[in-house]
Amino acid sequence: QVQLRESGGGLVQAGDSLRLSCFASNLNISTYIMAWFRQAPGKDREFVAAVSLSAKYTWYADSVKGRFAISRDDLKDTVYLQMDSLNPEDTAVYYCAAASWGNFYTLSRAQGVNYWGQGTQVTVSS
């Protein structure tokens, strides 16, 4: 049974950093595009970042570009999201996702996602 499990969320102050992790059980992530999404209360789920197979490409939402960095460790079946310079607008539940095929166009619309994690809460106080 495939499961994606996020960890690393928490409560921080504006300007602080967090690193999120997503571990995949019973899934070899080397054949999947891995991505992060987030959803704030009352808002739609939005694309944050994605990394292609072998980390050949990365894609970021404009709102996090230059502040967040996505990476992957296929040997550990784990994907990370390093978040720096956090601000209150980053407050949301963060979800990791695995997609067998996609690009920025599809992933930005959450199309083609095969597996979703349960999410981890990130709260940034001002």
Side-chain angles (χ1 to χ4, degrees), residues 5-12 17-23 34-39 48-49 64 67-73 77-84 86 90-97 118-124:
R5 185 177 69 250
E6 303 96 337
S7 62
L11 174 62
V12 298
S17 298
L18 281 174
R19 189 175 79 152
L20 306 182
S21 299
C22 174
F23 172 70
M34 301 300 295
W36 289 93
F37 296 79
R38 66 186 182 186
Q39 187 168 25
V48 176
V64 307
R67 299 188 299 120
F68 291 9
I70 188 170
S71 60
R72 64 191 298 155
D73 186 340
D77 288 319
T78 301
V79 62
Y80 305 94
L81 185 68
Q82 178 67 44
M83 305 185 295
D84 297 330
L86 287 163
D90 297 315
T91 295
V93 176
Y94 283 70
Y95 301 89
C96 70
Q118 293 298 306
T120 185
Q121 177 71 48
V122 172
T123 302
V124 185

Side-chain angles (χ1 to χ4, degrees), residues 21-125:
S21 299
C22 174
F23 172 70
S25 297
N26 300 312
L27 182 70
N28 182 0
I29 70 165
S30 65
T31 61
Y32 287 83
I33 301 166
M34 301 300 295
W36 289 93
F37 296 79
R38 66 186 182 186
Q39 187 168 25
K43 298 184 65 177
D44 294 333
R45 186 170 299 187
E46 67 172 342
F47 169 79
V48 176
V51 57
S52 72
L53 276 61
S54 301
K56 187 174 183 179
Y57 305 103
T58 56
W59 303 278
Y60 297 95
D62 288 342
S63 59
V64 307
K65 200 170 298 181
R67 299 188 299 120
F68 291 9
I70 188 170
S71 60
R72 64 191 298 155
D73 186 340
D74 289 349
L75 294 178
K76 296 181 179 179
D77 288 319
T78 301
V79 62
Y80 305 94
L81 185 68
Q82 178 67 44
M83 305 185 295
D84 297 330
S85 301
L86 287 163
N87 59 64
E89 287 67 49
D90 297 315
T91 295
V93 176
Y94 283 70
Y95 301 89
C96 70
S100 60
W101 194 259
N103 51 38
F104 176 78
Y105 178 85
T106 59
L107 292 171
S108 66
R109 293 159 176 79
Q111 296 176 350
V113 174
N114 299 95
Y115 305 103
W116 290 96
Q118 293 298 306
T120 185
Q121 177 71 48
V122 172
T123 302
V124 185
S125 63

